[in-house]
Each structure stands twice: as structure tokens, then as C-alpha cells.
Amino acid sequence: MYVIGLQEKNCGIISLLNDTAFEDTWSSFFMDVLSPLSFIKGNKGGVHICMKLYGYYVSIINCHLPPHMTNNDQRLEHFDRILEMQNFKGLDIPNILDHDLILWFGDMNFRIEDFGLHFVREAIKNQCYSDLWEKDQLSMAKKCDPLLREFQEGPLLFPPTYKFDKNSNNYDTSEKKRKPAWTDRILWRLKRKPKDDPHISRLLAPHFSLSQKSYISHMMYSISDHKPVTGTFDLELKPLVSVPLITLTPEGLWTLENDMLISYTLTSDFLSSPWDWIGLYKVGLRDINDYVSYIWVGDNQVFCSDRLNQVYINISDITETEEQFLLCYYSNILRSVVGISKPFQIQPRAFMVADTFKDQLQN
């Protein structure tokens, strides 16, 4: 899974004039949705995505907190406020603090206090980053803020990522000469575990765990006054949902000659729709629209029992290939793929002609 978070679009004079005359479609789309909810456009805040992964709740927050050395209290206030606002009304989703994992990242704008510009730059030059950690505002806040303390972060073993002259690796040489800082951060929080008997806890294997494999900056990119930061994680879990909502099976030997039969079963709690569809894809698909053929399950059903359903799909227009295929069931209600078959092959026409001729000779 790749998660990419961006902060700040170009706010130069040309960009501002363009925005005044022509609002970009991205902003226009969001404001059509958010304006009725009393939101207005601002240049700081957070974006939250929540997903249910094999029965676990995973939240991802990308944020841009207030800047400047003296606004640390305001940053912490925004941090708490963003968390408090993450309630999904009417969707039966628990409070974000009850989610199994929160990944929080972005331009948090925390600065390095007390030390002067010369000391900070010398420490960076000599890679003595540990001398700066104790005065990093985020690190200090984690020691006293109960909620922030629950978030973990990997060691800052890379140079501060702010502020650089654009198109260079030189820290700010403008008149302001802003002090370098680790403004771009990646944090995570695992759900608090109940205080069970420690003896029992040792016997039970963890069902959900996250470990960070890397936490680095990328100095080669210079189009911004920040250097991008990436974190790589291993997420291990024991699925709480052991049975997929839909199980798909291609029946018999598939050829390019005829309509082919698909069997699929539904779990008892799955709510189907006449607008659900099954797509045939080549293995390695990148998008849900990459199908080579599809059928509406409501219009093409040939058999239906308590759980088992069967439909035909036409594949005669598919180009012959040695690639493998798979079937995906798309739920219109859930707006997502809820079932994927195992990969299989479709036999080419030439193979079937030769095989039929062989059978005739034997007869």
C-alpha cells in the first residue's frame, strides 16, 4: 500500500491571479461537498481517510499545522482539534481513538528551540543530530502531552528537512535565514490494549502489529523548500474477517469459443444490488476499469439458490494471450471490490481446434 500526502500548492503571484480568475477543478469539487457543511477554504488543516482492513479499522491523517517558532501551542491545539473532529456520523464507525491503527504524517511545522542558527547548522554538518533532539518541539511535547505520548515515531537519523533554498541542498540563505528543523514527520499509534493478566498476554500471539523498517529523507529532490520524508512499515495481522464476502470460481475449462460460466457464493450478511457486476481482468490490473469483459449480475443470472449463484460472461472478443486472468466482484453498495478469484488461464482457439481434431482421430 502506498500513501502519499502533500501540503501547500504554489502560492506565487501568478498562481494567486489564476485562482482568482479560474478556480481549479480539484478545489471546486471539494467545496461543492464541503460548503453545505459550513467549511470554508483555509491553508492549514488535516485530511483523514478511514478504512476497514480485514475487520480492523485503520486511519490515515495527512496534516499541515501552523508555522513559526512561537506558534507551538497553536500546533498542539490543532493536533488535538483534528483528532476530536474525526467522527463519522451515521456510518457505525467507532471513535478514531478506538481504531486499531492511526498513521499521522505531514508538515507538522515543529521547530528546534533555544539553540542558535550557528549551533544547529554545525550539529547538522557533523551529523550530531542527537544534540538537537532534546530541543525538538514535538519530542518535548510527547513527554508531557498524554494523547501525543501515545504516538510513536522512528529515530530522526536524517538531517532536518526544512528550510532549503529551492533547487539546492543549501539551508535558507535568504535575509530571514530560518533555522533548520524537522518539520516533516511520520507518526503512528496502535490501539491501547486492555490491562489483562500479563501471564495470559504473554501466551497469546499478537493479532495486529506494526513495525517500521525505514524512516528517511530524500535529499535529491529540490523543487521545494522541504525535503520529502518517507517511512516504510510492515503490518502484520490475523484477519478478523476470515471468509470473503464473495467467493468467485470460473467453472470448467475456459476457452475463447463460447460464453463461460461463473459461480459465486455470498456470505449471509452481504447485501447485493442489481447494479453489482463481475469483471474479467488480466493479472496485474492497475485499476477497477481495466477489465477486458464484464457482466451485470442482475441481468445475466442463470441459477440462484440460497447461497450459490451462476452467471454467463461472453469472452469471444478477447484477444488470444498466454497471460493469466482473474475475476473481480464489484459491490455497488460498498463501492469496492468484495471478491477476487484465483488466477486462471483461458485456452486459445488454436489449442482447442487441435485438441478437437485429435479427439476425432481417436474416435
Side-chain angles (χ1 to χ4, degrees):
M1 181 187 301
Y2 292 87
V3 182
I4 302 172
L6 306 173
Q7 303 83 37
E8 270 189 20
K9 63 175 184 175
N10 186 350
C11 293
I13 185 64
I14 300 299
S15 178
L16 291 175
L17 290 174
N18 286 337
D19 286 349
T20 302
F22 311 101
E23 184 176 47
D24 65 277
T25 54
W26 186 252
S27 298
S28 178
F29 170 79
F30 271 102
M31 292 318 300
D32 287 343
V33 176
L34 297 176
S35 294
L37 302 176
S38 302
F39 284 89
I40 60 173
K41 286 173 68 174
N43 65 351
K44 298 292 182 288
V47 178
H48 178 199
I49 293 175
C50 174
M51 65 184 76
K52 198 172 184 181
L53 190 64
Y54 293 104
Y56 297 92
Y57 283 99
V58 175
S59 279
I60 300 168
I61 300 177
N62 175 40
C63 75
H64 194 178
L65 301 182
H68 308 308
M69 177 72 72
T70 56
N71 287 335
N72 193 43
D73 290 342
Q74 192 178 359
R75 280 188 282 276
L76 295 174
E77 179 184 336
H78 279 217
F79 192 94
D80 291 340
R81 187 180 176 194
I82 289 172
L83 271 181
E84 292 169 0
M85 294 176 66
Q86 306 312 313
N87 294 315
F88 297 85
K89 296 180 180 178
L91 297 177
D92 196 29
I93 297 176
N95 182 279
I96 187 172
L97 295 179
D98 290 321
H99 292 186
D100 299 279
L101 171 65
I102 302 174
L103 282 167
W104 192 323
F105 67 124
D107 182 0
M108 299 188 182
N109 260 318
F110 290 104
R111 308 302 171 99
I112 298 173
E113 290 187 355
D114 298 341
F115 297 133
L117 175 62
H118 179 73
F119 180 87
V120 172
R121 289 194 172 184
E122 282 298 308
I124 296 171
K125 180 180 177 180
N126 297 316
Q127 298 186 6
C128 298
Y129 305 132
S130 59
D131 293 341
L132 306 178
W133 295 342
E134 62 186 61
K135 294 299 181 181
D136 169 67
Q137 289 178 334
L138 178 56
S139 300
M140 291 191 293
K142 283 171 57 65
K143 296 177 181 178
C144 54
D145 186 293
L147 187 56
L148 195 54
R149 189 184 300 137
E150 295 180 5
F151 284 85
Q152 301 179 58
E153 182 182 20
L156 298 169
L157 301 178
F158 50 87
T161 55
Y162 172 88
K163 175 184 190 328
F164 288 85
D165 294 334
K166 288 187 178 180
N167 301 311
S168 81
N169 287 330
N170 300 321
Y171 284 105
D172 189 14
T173 60
S174 69
E175 292 182 1
K176 294 183 178 180
K177 287 187 170 58
R178 276 158 287 204
K179 192 164 53 173
W182 286 288
T183 57
D184 311 285
R185 313 288 278 266
I186 301 174
L187 311 177
W188 72 93
R189 174 190 181 270
L190 292 170
K191 184 178 178 180
R192 289 188 297 250
K193 295 180 181 179
K195 295 182 179 179
D196 297 325
D197 186 328
H199 176 69
I200 297 177
S201 299
R202 284 195 298 269
L203 296 177
L204 297 176
H207 291 268
F208 189 95
S209 64
L210 186 82
S211 58
Q212 189 174 58
K213 312 308 292 183
S214 71
Y215 189 33
I216 57 176
S217 65
H218 300 269
M219 295 292 289
M220 72 286 291
Y221 297 104
S222 57
I223 61 173
S224 167
D225 55 353
H226 293 250
K227 299 298 183 182
V229 173
T230 61
T232 306
F233 299 86
D234 279 347
L235 175 61
E236 296 185 22
L237 54 87
K238 179 180 180 181
L240 297 177
V241 181
S242 57
V243 179
L245 295 175
I246 299 287
T247 302
L248 291 158
T249 306
E251 292 292 344
L253 180 67
W254 277 43
T255 74
L256 293 174
E257 296 297 321
N258 305 302
D259 292 351
M260 300 310 300
L261 186 63
I262 300 171
S263 295
Y264 64 95
T265 56
L266 300 76
T267 58
S268 58
D269 57 345
F270 176 72
L271 184 61
S272 62
S273 161
W275 297 106
D276 291 353
W277 52 275
I278 296 174
L280 176 67
Y281 298 84
K282 292 181 180 179
V283 171
L285 73 155
R286 297 187 178 187
D287 188 271
I288 189 63
N289 295 315
D290 287 345
Y291 53 79
V292 294
S293 183
Y294 75 95
I295 45 98
W296 300 101
V297 296
D299 295 339
N300 296 274
Q301 199 169 68
V302 294
F303 178 80
C304 178
S305 67
D306 183 31
R307 295 284 179 84
L308 178 64
N309 297 265
Q310 291 183 323
V311 293
Y312 276 111
I313 185 171
N314 187 293
I315 60 172
S316 59
D317 294 333
I318 298 175
T319 305
E320 293 184 1
T321 176
E322 294 183 357
E323 296 179 89
Q324 288 191 313
F325 293 82
L326 51 79
L327 298 164
C328 294
Y329 187 106
Y330 185 87
S331 166
N332 184 64
I333 295 175
L334 297 177
R335 301 288 181 182
S336 66
V337 173
V338 294
I340 302 178
S341 74
K342 294 181 179 179
F344 60 92
Q345 284 190 311
I346 298 177
Q347 301 298 340
R349 295 181 182 87
F351 175 86
M352 292 308 301
V353 170
D355 195 49
T356 302
F357 182 67
K358 178 182 176 182
D359 291 340
Q360 290 175 346
L361 289 176
Q362 288 177 343
N363 292 332

